[in-house]
Amino acid sequence: MSQLQAKYLKDYSAPDFTIDHIQLNFDLNEPYTYVTAISQVVKKNKEATRLELDGNSLELVSVKINNNAVEHQILNEKLIIQTILDSFELEIITKLEPGKNTSLEGLYLSDGAYCTQCEAEGFRCITYYLDRPDVLAKFDVRIEADKEDFPFLLSNGNLLDKGELNNGRHFASWQDPYPKPSYLFALVAGDFDQLKDSFTTRSAREVELQVFVDKGNLNKANHAMASLKKSMEWDETRFNLEYDLDIYMIVAVDFFNMGAMENKGLNVFNTKYVLADTESATDQDFHGIESVIGHEYFHNWTGNRVTCRDWFQLSLKEGLTVFRDQEFSSDVGSRAVNRIHAIKVVRNQQFAEDAGPMAHPIRPESVIEMNNFYTVTVYDKGAEVIRMMHTLLGETKFQKGMELYFKRHDGQAVTCDDFVSAMETASGVDLRQFRLWYSQAGTPIVTVSEEYNEQTRVYKLVLSQNRPTVAGNNTEAMHIPFDIELIDSKGNSLFSDVLSFTEQQQIFTFEGIDSQPTASLLQNFSAPVKIDYEYTADHLAHLMRYATNEVARWEASVSLFSKTVWGCVAALENGQAMQVGSLVQDAFRGLILDPMLDPALIAEVMNLPSVSELIEQVSTVDLDKLLLARQFTVDELGVACEDELNARYHDLKDQDTVQARALKNACLYWLSRVGEQYEALIEFQFMHADNMTDSLAALKAASNGEVRCYEVLMARFEEKWNKTPLVMDKWFMLQAVDKSEKVIDSLKALTEHAAFSYQNPNRVRSLLGTFAAANIEQFHRADGRGYEFITETLKLLNGVNPQVAARIITPLIQFSKFDELRQAKIKHCLQGLLDLPNLSKDLYEKVSRALS
Ligand code: B3K
Ligand code: ZN
């Protein structure tokens, strides 16, 4: 039971002992692998006599201190040794069964290759250790394995030695010169295709670059390699940061719990974020690869060179590194489109987390299972917090802050507060109040009202802030950078700047304003808050046309669409007919044909807020009415804009750019429901597509329009791709969002599909995760079968892979906005999980929080 107890940030204390060097020897064998760990332990607290080493599901073979067997005990998975020595050599031998490890944490086999995942606390599944990020040691690693099956033996740092052994075995020795916490350790052993290249840093050091992929996939590794080189160059130019080892390796594996892992010099990646060619991967996949490769690379400084003191500080590295990867994508691509994507993640997923049982500040204060805190709050809201500092300081001072941060803390394990202090000292900007963003959870709501006086020509904006109480600590007013533009009736910009909103209520006065202006509020999503302001449709249409900021124009369209949908919901409630006014139709018509706008941005606007995005805007929802109202609005707009959609589609159809494809396919999607006549267009695009972006878009349109050829196209697609797992994931995802009643039965049948496996996280997320997260209609069906189906899945996954289970459960615990009947059905399912005799900590933490 003690395993299920929370740990608290306030209880942090520095370790009594540290380890400054470890020699790790792996004797890789099936079914048993032996690991010998020889650590140099140093006592830090003179009073301490009890060394407690973390472990998890380990079989201990032996323990020695200075080469002598030593008395020890194992208590709650920890190895405990009493000692009076100030420093000593500790040798521990453990015995592992990687082939049986389906949790994909620690050492496991992925398709016949050994690999590791240690963050957050997976190293303790390999050996007993001080498995905490503030213990930094130099690692030497020696790997032995069969040469034929495992020709590549990889670990962190530089290769020191390799050679042949008896019985067809061989070895390799690696040395990482940079002290690191155990979570950054990695080992890979397997047979791969290898893509090699090199990068010359700006101080003229030659770095060897290697990407390892499953045999036969070499031609799909080029984009990953190009992305790596782009990232290295960008970090030098924008952040003045150079790579620090002679070699950088990326290994792609198909069995992986998340996107990728930034192990020092040896990143391990989910194949999804490495493998791509135009035939099998979409433009979006290409973009995702570039951004994740960038993210992991950027961790080398923000995460590895300077790491976290404890796991509560996770946002120190993740928020900052997400900010860096977002800036990278924006500098090398469209800033507006990238910003819109980031805003959507925060609004739809992070706000939902804030409103649910797992709400936590970006620096959490209590944790049961650390893996549960790799969240949109820590990552994406964390990045918004860094972005706000960037807004308040400006690029130059922000970079000075970064420089000071590295100067002070290179080689250390530090806190979020250390980061803010560096920013503060270097810039001279007072960030005392700003620090509340690290400790207060929940989404602040900014209520906006305005006053205009024609006589005095004074316009006033009154802002007040409300903070939801999460864990009773959100009592202080926060520092909110509030970006606005004031626009006159002719569309001229009158004022544009970031207001520093720091009080509970604050009035901002603008003089010399000739007529009532239209305000564009919280431009660029300058803070992760919600706005409470009654926009009129005219106001929004004006902003859609005239706001200087592209993101603000997108924002206005989102609000206009949402307002229309909610208007339809109200009509349904009052027994009136739903209506989509001509103003809205005209606004969208104008937009589709706008020759001045980046087509990708228009596509973004046409990607209308989903049901879950709409739910985020209200505190309770009548789901059935919302579904009807949204579909009605979408269909009306499609019919109203048919000519424009059709024209734009044909205009773009032969253009070979990412932007053109994005808009063309957005048009096809809208047209798919306009009438049967578009079935042929969809089918034609599918049959003639020479790239995955277009074929998948045709399938999505076919599914959305419920056209007759859908099943035939899906069958063709399956036939063509059934041996390519990443493409089958796309097919599984389409199956999962099928809105028809029979979907649950189909999904059950698909779990028997040859390409599906409960042990593979990508497959599970595509088929089952997508159903829970994106098929609102069927997951939330009134009879509760959607909940039951996912609960059954979770019971199964609880034993196979708790981390994956704990990700998939998210939509099931975010129920507070739904009606009582649905809530009761969900709670019943959650109770069933809580009653499981062997419920993992991962699920326990989420389920118990949801039910309490
Ligand atoms: N740091 C890893 C995530 C580890 C998740 C552990 N459950 C990838 C990343 O954020 O770059
Ligand atoms: Zn990261």
Side-chain angles (χ1 to χ4, degrees):
M1 227 26 207
S2 75
Q3 274 226 61
L4 298 179
Q5 255 154 32
K7 283 193 188 153
Y8 295 89
L9 166 60
K10 64 176 167 43
D11 293 340
Y12 173 83
S13 65
D16 286 343
F17 295 84
T18 193
I19 294 172
D20 53 29
H21 184 274
I22 177 169
Q23 167 75 49
L24 272 170
N25 298 336
F26 285 84
D27 189 7
L28 296 174
N29 260 313
E30 277 313 292
Y32 302 119
T33 281
Y34 287 86
V35 182
T36 307
I38 304 165
S39 301
Q40 307 305 321
V41 184
V42 182
K43 189 181 288 185
K44 299 295 268 187
N45 170 3
K46 293 289 161 243
E47 314 293 302
T49 52
R50 182 182 164 100
L51 175 64
E52 286 191 17
L53 299 165
D54 305 295
N56 183 358
S57 326
L58 283 171
E59 185 175 336
L60 179 63
V61 177
S62 63
V63 195
K64 286 181 186 167
I65 282 187
N66 294 336
N67 235 347
N68 297 313
V70 65
E71 236 178 81
H72 59 270
Q73 55 168 319
I74 291 181
L75 207 65
N76 296 326
E77 306 249 23
K78 281 183 192 285
L79 173 65
I80 295 163
I81 299 168
Q82 300 293 339
T83 177
I84 49 159
L85 300 173
D86 287 338
S87 66
F88 51 93
E89 183 175 284
L90 172 70
E91 184 201 275
I92 294 174
I93 301 181
T94 48
K95 177 179 168 188
L96 314 179
E97 280 185 278
K100 285 203 177 150
N101 181 355
T102 59
S103 72
L104 314 188
E105 196 181 24
L107 178 70
Y108 64 94
L109 276 169
S110 166
D111 271 341
Y114 287 97
C115 69
T116 56
Q117 172 54 38
C118 293
E119 189 178 1
E121 296 175 334
F123 192 72
R124 64 186 65 181
C125 308
I126 294 173
T127 186
Y128 288 99
Y129 196 69
L130 294 172
D131 190 14
R132 45 187 289 170
D134 57 355
V135 169
L136 282 75
K138 286 194 178 172
F139 279 63
D140 282 356
V141 178
R142 186 177 187 282
I143 312 166
E144 266 186 53
D146 181 83
K147 187 167 183 185
E148 199 180 317
D149 291 342
F150 308 99
F152 291 100
L153 305 176
L154 315 173
S155 192
N156 320 83
N158 301 312
L159 181 66
L160 276 190
D161 192 14
K162 60 178 185 177
E164 310 283 320
L165 299 164
N166 294 334
N167 307 328
R169 292 176 71 80
H170 69 151
F171 78 94
S173 301
W174 293 83
Q175 182 170 63
D176 182 356
Y178 293 95
K180 63 170 175 288
S182 48
Y183 83 87
L184 288 173
F185 161 77
L187 170 153
V188 173
D191 192 4
F192 302 99
D193 276 344
Q194 185 186 25
L195 181 65
K196 287 190 180 182
D197 206 327
S198 69
F199 181 84
T200 313
T201 69
R202 65 171 177 201
S203 64
R205 274 188 324 98
E206 195 72 359
V207 181
E208 214 184 305
L209 309 179
Q210 305 186 1
V211 177
F212 297 86
V213 294
D214 277 348
K215 290 258 164 206
N217 284 306
L218 200 57
N219 55 346
K220 291 189 181 172
N222 295 315
H223 179 64
M225 183 63 93
S227 302
L228 175 60
K229 289 160 80 175
K230 226 178 187 175
S231 309
M232 296 178 86
E233 201 183 318
W234 180 86
D235 218 11
E236 292 187 350
T237 340
R238 174 89 188 260
F239 276 80
N240 203 15
L241 296 171
E242 227 180 279
Y243 187 59
D244 55 4
L245 285 168
D246 301 334
I247 178 168
Y248 194 94
M249 294 175 284
I250 290 176
V251 184
V253 298
D254 198 35
F255 286 67
F256 206 61
N257 281 343
M258 60 263 175
M261 178 63 211
E262 71 263 24
N263 318 301
K264 185 79 186 187
L266 176 57
N267 290 182
V268 178
F269 268 65
N270 188 321
T271 45
K272 178 173 163 60
Y273 291 109
V274 173
L275 302 180
D277 58 13
T278 50
E279 214 204 332
S280 65
T282 62
D283 294 333
Q284 206 187 336
D285 294 328
F286 275 81
H287 180 265
I289 289 169
E290 185 181 87
S291 118
V292 178
I293 295 256
H295 181 98
E296 305 314 328
Y297 175 73
F298 305 142
H299 266 316
N300 189 55
W301 278 94
T302 49
N304 301 4
R305 287 288 287 253
V306 182
T307 195
C308 302
R309 184 194 73 174
D310 54 79
W311 288 122
F312 299 101
Q313 316 295 330
L314 180 60
S315 203
L316 171 82
K317 74 177 178 80
E318 295 304 347
L320 178 55
T321 305
V322 171
F323 171 78
R324 276 154 52 67
D325 85 52
Q326 290 175 349
E327 282 301 292
F328 167 58
S329 296
S330 303
D331 282 348
V332 303
S334 159
R335 183 160 286 272
V337 170
N338 279 292
R339 187 64 192 135
I340 290 170
H341 287 163
I343 296 172
K344 283 187 160 181
V345 171
V346 177
R347 275 224 186 101
N348 312 331
Q349 300 173 44
Q350 200 281 322
F351 284 5
E353 187 159 82
D354 267 348
M358 281 296 289
H360 53 276
I362 65 166
R363 183 183 54 214
E365 269 144 27
S366 83
V367 163
I368 292 180
E369 169 52 61
M370 190 53 214
N371 286 322
N372 282 340
F373 288 84
Y374 288 74
T375 58
V376 276
T377 299
V378 167
Y379 274 61
D380 299 90
K381 183 176 180 181
E384 294 301 321
V385 170
I386 303 287
R387 184 170 297 283
M388 286 191 283
M389 280 190 261
H390 186 269
T391 303
L392 292 169
L393 271 61
E395 169 74 2
T396 309
K397 287 182 178 164
F398 183 87
Q399 290 298 349
K400 274 193 176 164
M402 291 298 299
E403 206 181 308
L404 182 60
Y405 173 64
F406 291 122
K407 196 169 152 207
R408 284 182 176 173
H409 301 300
D410 188 11
Q412 299 176 5
V414 305
T415 63
C416 296
D417 209 46
D418 291 324
F419 179 82
V420 181
S421 295
M423 283 289 153
E424 203 163 36
T425 309
S427 68
V429 175
D430 182 345
L431 295 170
R432 270 173 297 180
Q433 183 184 8
F434 186 84
R435 281 180 169 79
L436 289 172
W437 283 104
Y438 283 90
S439 56
Q440 298 197 156
T443 311
I445 298 172
V446 176
T447 307
V448 183
S449 65
E450 50 187 349
E451 274 168 38
Y452 177 64
N453 186 326
E454 248 170 69
Q455 265 80 49
T456 55
R457 294 162 61 234
V458 169
Y459 172 77
K460 285 183 182 168
L461 208 52
V462 185
L463 305 185
S464 54
Q465 48 173 299
N466 283 301
R467 295 158 307 276
T469 316
V470 179
N473 70 346
N474 285 10
T475 47
E476 290 179 60
M478 308 186 57
H479 186 171
I480 299 174
F482 201 82
D483 189 345
I484 65 155
E485 181 176 32
L486 300 179
I487 300 165
D488 73 10
S489 58
K490 297 202 184 63
N492 301 311
S493 180
L494 303 173
F495 174 89
S496 167
D497 206 354
V498 180
L499 310 176
S500 217
F501 173 33
T502 54
E503 292 160 32
Q504 183 54 44
Q505 188 181 67
Q506 211 167 332
I507 303 176
F508 295 91
T509 307
F510 305 86
E511 288 168 4
I513 307 284
D514 288 330
S515 60
Q516 169 83 41
T518 304
S520 171
L521 303 169
L522 195 74
Q523 299 206 97
N524 223 20
F525 197 57
S526 58
V529 302
K530 288 187 180 179
I531 296 281
D532 179 7
Y533 174 77
E534 262 314 308
Y535 289 103
T536 65
D538 286 315
H539 184 154
L540 292 169
H542 199 66
L543 292 181
M544 263 177 92
R545 230 170 128 182
Y546 295 115
T548 311
N549 182 305
E550 289 179 321
V551 179
R553 294 203 294 271
W554 162 78
E555 189 79 73
S557 72
V558 169
S559 304
L560 186 59
F561 174 78
S562 309
K563 189 179 171 64
T564 312
V565 174
W566 293 118
C568 291
V569 170
L572 285 175
E573 276 162 1
N574 301 327
Q576 294 160 346
M578 296 190 278
Q579 267 188 43
V580 177
S582 61
L583 179 129
V584 182
Q585 297 175 9
D586 291 345
F588 279 93
R589 247 191 234 115
L591 179 106
I592 295 166
L593 289 183
D594 193 334
M596 304 299 287
L597 270 185
D598 172 5
L601 193 62
I602 303 180
E604 228 29 85
V605 177
M606 290 172 63
N607 184 4
L608 300 171
S610 64
V611 180
S612 41
E613 295 181 57
L614 289 159
I615 293 175
E616 263 332 291
Q617 301 169 0
V618 292
S619 50
T620 56
V621 67
D622 180 334
L623 184 62
D624 305 296
K625 290 201 176 67
L626 174 61
L627 290 170
L628 281 175
R630 184 182 182 281
Q631 197 59 65
F632 175 81
T633 311
V634 169
D635 289 348
E636 289 287 296
L637 281 178
V639 172
C641 302
E642 180 179 359
D643 293 344
E644 290 76 11
L645 293 167
N646 211 350
R648 206 73 217 253
Y649 178 89
H650 287 283
D651 211 36
L652 295 162
K653 107 176 156 339
D654 300 318
Q655 295 182 23
D656 184 20
T657 65
V658 173
Q659 293 77 5
R661 273 192 293 276
L663 181 52
K664 173 186 71 181
N665 289 322
C667 291
L668 189 67
Y669 192 80
W670 277 44
L671 285 169
S672 68
R673 292 185 59 90
V674 171
E676 281 184 4
Q677 63 274 34
Y678 294 103
E679 173 158 0
L681 191 63
I682 293 171
E683 197 172 354
F684 186 89
Q685 173 163 323
F686 182 83
M687 301 305 284
H688 293 86
D690 61 359
N691 63 78
M692 182 53 73
T693 307
D694 285 344
S695 17
L696 194 68
L699 277 184
K700 283 187 179 166
S703 157
N704 183 50
E706 298 167 49
V707 301
R708 280 160 306 174
C709 65
Y710 173 67
E711 311 256 322
V712 178
L713 302 188
M714 284 291 276
R716 273 183 185 261
F717 190 87
E718 181 196 7
E719 200 186 322
K720 174 159 180 196
W721 294 110
N722 65 61
K723 295 276 169 319
T724 314
L726 289 176
V727 181
M728 284 309 283
D729 285 342
K730 301 179 191 306
W731 187 80
F732 284 138
M733 286 170 87
L734 276 163
Q735 301 279 2
V737 295
D738 176 0
K739 306 283 183 259
S740 68
E741 290 264 317
K742 63 174 190 344
V743 65
I744 293 176
D745 295 330
S746 327
L747 294 185
K748 280 187 185 158
L750 283 167
T751 60
E752 310 277 317
H753 192 286
F756 182 84
S757 156
Y758 278 107
Q759 316 214 315
N760 186 299
N762 287 355
R763 302 301 94 77
V764 173
R765 282 187 287 252
S766 303
L767 192 69
L768 307 163
T770 304
F771 172 73
N775 194 341
I776 305 274
E777 287 84 346
Q778 293 298 320
F779 175 63
H780 286 289
R781 53 197 268 171
D783 64 7
R785 276 195 67 205
Y787 308 142
E788 287 159 18
F789 171 54
I790 285 302
T791 305
E792 287 316 308
T793 302
L794 290 170
K795 286 183 178 167
L796 206 154
L797 284 172
N798 175 55
V800 176
N801 188 328
Q803 273 188 60
V804 170
R807 287 265 160 183
I808 286 183
I809 200 175
T810 299
L812 198 64
I813 59 171
Q814 294 176 347
F815 52 70
S816 66
K817 296 183 177 183
F818 294 101
D819 52 84
E820 278 177 22
L821 275 173
R822 284 185 169 94
Q823 290 205 26
K825 292 199 156 85
I826 292 178
K827 286 182 188 158
H828 179 77
C829 286
L830 291 175
Q831 190 59 50
L833 286 169
L834 198 60
D835 294 341
L836 282 185
N838 58 348
L839 187 67
S840 65
K841 305 207 253 181
D842 312 57
L843 281 180
Y844 169 78
E845 180 165 41
K846 293 197 170 183
V847 174
S848 60
R849 280 175 76 147
L851 287 174
S852 75

